Structures are given as C-alpha cells and as structure tokens.
Amino acid sequence: MSETLQHVEQLVDQTPRADVTETFEEWRALLTGLKSRIADRFTLTRDPSTADLETYGDPDGGPSGSLAAYAGPEIDWLVHSWIGDPRTGFVNLHLTVWLGPHIRVPHLGSALLLWPEGWFYVDAIPRGDLVGDGAYFDDFYAPNDEPWLDFKRDHPDFTWFTSRTGFIRGSLSPTAYCYSFPPTRPNLDTVAQVLTSRVEQWLTWVDAAEPVPASERPTLAERDLAIRRNIAERDPANVMGERFFRPELTQRLVRALWGGDRELPRPTA
C-alpha cells in the first residue's frame, strides 16, 4: 500500500478540475443519514450561534457551505458541515460528535473530501492515555485492531494519508482510517460501509458505558475542549477556507467547529 505525503492544497492544485456534484450529493446524504441515526439516540438542540451558517457563500455560482452545531444533555458539541465548490472539484464534509463528560467513550470523528480524488477519515478520538491505561485501549481499540490491519491488506486502491503536520498525525488513534482513493463505485461503497459500521459500533459503546464519577467530570470536560479547539485551529486544511472566503468568515467557521461562539451550556454536571 502506498502513502500520500502532500498537503491538501497541493493535491488540489496538482489535480485537474472536475465536477464532483454527484458524489458530493451522495456523501451529503450519507452523513445526513448517519447524523439522523445519532439524533435518534440523543437529545440535540441546534446552537443559535450557527443558525445563520445554515447556508453561506454563493451556492448558485461559487464556493459555499453549511455548518450546523448541536448540543444536548449527553452531547457537548456535534458538528454537521460541508464547505467547497463541487462544480470545480473540491468539497469537504464533516460529521463529528463530542460527548459530554458523563462517560469516557471516545468521541466520534469523521470527514469526507473530494479534490476531485477521494479521501476519508473516521476515528474514535481517545479520552485518555492509550498506553498508560491498558483497559481503556482494550475496551475501545483492541476490537478494531484486526479489522484495521485487514483493511490495509485487502484494499489496495486506498492510499494511507500521512499529514505533513506532526500535531495532526499525533491526533490519530492506532485504529484511525485516513485514506485517499479513486472515487469508483466499489470504493465509495467501501467508505460508506466503514463509516456506517463505525457509527453503529460507537453507539453500542455509548449504551454500554459506565458513568464517570462527578468529581472527575470537570477535568475530562476541560481536556475535551482543549483537544477539540487544538484540532480545529491547527487543521492544515483551513487554508482552503481562506482561499474561498474572507478571513473573518474562515475564522468564524473554525470557531464554530470547536464551539468558540456557543450559546448553549456545556453538559459538565
């Protein structure tokens, strides 16, 4: 299996433009369906700070996007978003769920990207030390170890994506999926299967989780926020937002990814 070592903007600049609207619509429906599946399990309220980001940019003739963030009694921050211009071959979609501190189940991170080649990411974002806490690793990462290795062996069309930013590499768990690939029908079906199965697995973890003692929840909530903010602010792909939109809007979109302008309270009790 080969490896991709380029920045996202390099991949965009070096690839001929193509209309990816059809795949974009397919992926938007996929993430919308997964978000609805999650909403069936949790009580979610749209944060008012993102209400006017339902549609931004120029949907009729240029780059545009949508960002909706939610919170609830068990959900600290859920982001469902997309940004780009599918008619010219670039679009980035996100569905990420950050749990409240009542349980230590990993957060759910997923993203889909077209430049116009395909890229996908899905991971269980750790809430603890995977080396120092062997039981935590055994609960949430050991079960995915063999399937992760099987995927690398059985899917030669998928190229491991290595970020040129060490911080982003450090944010991935040992069983993260982070691959570029030709967006053929079999590969698109594979991505949909992997994302769906990981969401379903994550929901079973939530239902089986034991509560975190109340005295430990503030520290866990503080750690969660620091990780979420760092990932959002240090993401090298933010440069694509700056290409499309003015700096003020790009900065606001980044803040929305971690909840910098949130109005709903965090579930820290």
Side-chain angles (χ1 to χ4, degrees):
M1 179 175 287
S2 57
E3 182 178 22
T4 300
L5 282 166
Q6 293 173 290
H7 290 298
V8 170
E9 65 269 26
Q10 292 175 312
L11 296 169
V12 172
D13 292 343
Q14 295 172 11
T15 307
R17 301 295 85 213
D19 190 320
V20 297
T21 300
E22 183 177 353
T23 303
F24 163 63
E25 294 294 350
E26 178 179 334
W27 276 359
R28 185 159 64 164
L30 171 63
L31 292 192
T32 297
L34 294 176
K35 187 259 181 180
S36 296
R37 176 76 177 92
I38 293 167
D40 289 340
R41 167 59 179 77
F42 298 99
T43 299
L44 298 173
T45 301
R46 175 78 176 266
D47 193 275
S49 68
T50 66
D52 65 331
L53 295 176
E54 182 66 30
T55 301
Y56 60 86
D58 182 11
D60 295 325
S64 59
S66 174
L67 191 154
Y70 302 81
E74 299 176 87
I75 298 296
D76 189 355
W77 202 241
L78 182 154
V79 175
H80 182 208
S81 67
W82 69 268
I83 184 174
D85 186 354
R87 288 159 297 197
T88 64
F90 176 81
V91 66
N92 191 359
L93 307 92
H94 282 260
L95 178 63
T96 303
V97 190
W98 297 81
L99 289 161
H102 62 296
I103 55 177
R104 284 198 175 87
V105 169
H107 306 299
L108 174 69
S110 69
L112 300 167
L113 176 69
L114 294 163
W115 72 71
E117 289 295 290
W119 176 92
F120 88 108
Y121 153 83
V122 62
D123 197 10
I125 303 171
R127 317 260 317 264
D129 180 357
L130 299 187
V131 178
D133 188 347
Y136 190 82
F137 179 91
D138 291 343
D139 287 343
F140 301 116
Y141 297 92
N144 287 328
D145 198 29
E146 203 63 37
W148 186 86
L149 292 169
D150 291 344
F151 186 93
K152 292 181 77 71
R153 180 194 64 207
D154 298 338
H155 294 84
D157 260 5
F158 286 76
T159 300
W160 180 256
F161 183 88
T162 298
S163 174
R164 294 184 64 85
T165 302
F167 182 88
I168 298 301
R169 296 197 302 271
S171 72
L172 298 179
S173 85
T175 57
Y177 289 74
C178 188
Y179 292 95
S180 59
F181 59 94
T184 62
R185 180 74 269 154
N187 291 344
L188 294 174
D189 290 343
T190 294
V191 169
Q193 188 275 327
V194 170
L195 260 65
T196 300
S197 64
R198 292 298 294 263
V199 169
E200 292 298 332
Q201 180 188 53
W202 179 78
L203 288 170
T204 65
W205 290 344
V206 170
D207 287 340
E210 297 183 359
V212 172
S215 62
E216 299 176 13
R217 295 182 187 183
T219 299
L220 183 58
E222 183 179 359
R223 179 185 185 276
D224 289 341
L225 181 58
I227 291 173
R228 184 164 73 239
R229 179 172 184 173
N230 285 337
I231 291 174
E233 293 184 341
R234 293 170 177 252
D235 187 347
N238 290 342
V239 69
M240 297 304 299
E242 295 173 358
R243 285 190 181 188
F244 289 146
F245 306 109
R246 64 187 187 278
E248 294 81 3
L249 177 55
T250 300
Q251 292 166 11
R252 186 179 172 206
L253 294 172
V254 171
R255 290 199 306 275
L257 292 177
W258 64 268
D261 299 323
R262 75 182 297 161
E263 298 181 28
L264 295 175
R266 298 185 69 201
T268 56

